[in-house]
Amino acid sequence: MSKIPEKDITLYHSILAKELLQYTAVPEQDLQAFVSCFEFQEYKKKDIIIAPGNTDAFKIFFILKGITRIYYVLEDKEITVSFKMENSVVYNGFTIFSGVPNIDNHEALEDLQVLAANIDNLEPLLYKSHPLEHLARKIVEKNYSSFIRSNYNRMFLPAEERYEYFMKTMPSIINRIPLKYVASYLGITPETLSRLRAKH
């Protein structure tokens, strides 16, 4: 991997710091120590950045550019459960919190630019700084609430309401990814998705 200019790393760290401050206030010294643990990485479209079976993917990613899809494979069928795009924080929570091998796939749907840090490098900072520990909890809370809302919509809302909520919360993403993944995420057929798009 080619080394990028220091000025770019500084810019990317400042973007990350600004985004993290939207979760909660953190003293400048603690925040800079935290973001300095993140390194720039690139992935090609279709790359799997977190694979099933991993027990060592203890990383947290911040997406600078691109989209990832999180999906499971059941009886050779891919079931999409989430999309993450620019300014999103992505991590392998299942393995990090349980120590059990990962069971989902995190795939780059576009060429991806991220900042990535090993959890082992972040843990000592979280242990020493209550504001950083609070920040980590807020990140987990946001991702968990998003996961719960997505599951609720999929299980209880009519297809049209699922589609409307998707377009309200992620309006730009539908023009950047294959519609079959959107249909899978919404729990509907591609034909139903086409009809819903035609109505709106």
Side-chain angles (χ1 to χ4, degrees), residues 67-122:
I67 300 174
T68 64
R69 174 176 73 112
I70 303 172
Y71 69 94
Y72 299 93
V73 178
L74 179 64
E75 297 177 351
D76 296 326
K77 181 180 180 181
E78 295 181 358
I79 301 173
T80 301
V81 296
S82 185
F83 301 105
K84 299 293 183 180
M85 54 194 304
E86 287 84 2
N87 298 326
S88 294
V89 176
V90 182
Y91 52 88
N92 182 7
F94 185 78
T95 297
I96 291 170
F97 301 140
S98 70
V100 176
N102 186 48
I103 58 176
D104 58 13
N105 299 266
H106 295 240
E107 175 192 21
L109 293 184
E110 300 175 340
D111 289 347
L112 201 63
Q113 294 181 347
V114 302
L115 292 175
N118 290 320
I119 297 297
D120 287 347
N121 294 333
L122 299 176

Side-chain angles (χ1 to χ4, degrees), residues 20 44 83 106 109 111 116 135 139 150 152 175 177 181 187:
L20 293 177
K44 294 296 185 182
F83 301 105
H106 295 240
L109 293 184
D111 289 347
L135 168 65
I139 292 172
S150 177
Y152 174 86
N175 295 318
I177 62 177
Y181 296 150

Side-chain angles (χ1 to χ4, degrees), residues 36-55:
S36 68
C37 293
F38 286 77
E39 298 179 345
F40 180 80
Q41 294 182 0
E42 292 181 296
Y43 296 89
K44 294 296 185 182
K45 182 178 179 179
K46 295 295 186 181
D47 281 353
I48 300 295
I49 66 172
I50 302 176
N54 283 359
T55 56

Side-chain angles (χ1 to χ4, degrees), residues 18-44:
K18 182 178 179 181
E19 186 65 24
L20 293 177
L21 287 174
Q22 295 187 39
Y23 288 91
T24 187
V26 179
E28 179 67 18
Q29 183 175 351
D30 292 359
L31 184 62
Q32 291 307 314
F34 188 83
V35 300
S36 68
C37 293
F38 286 77
E39 298 179 345
F40 180 80
Q41 294 182 0
E42 292 181 296
Y43 296 89
K44 294 296 185 182

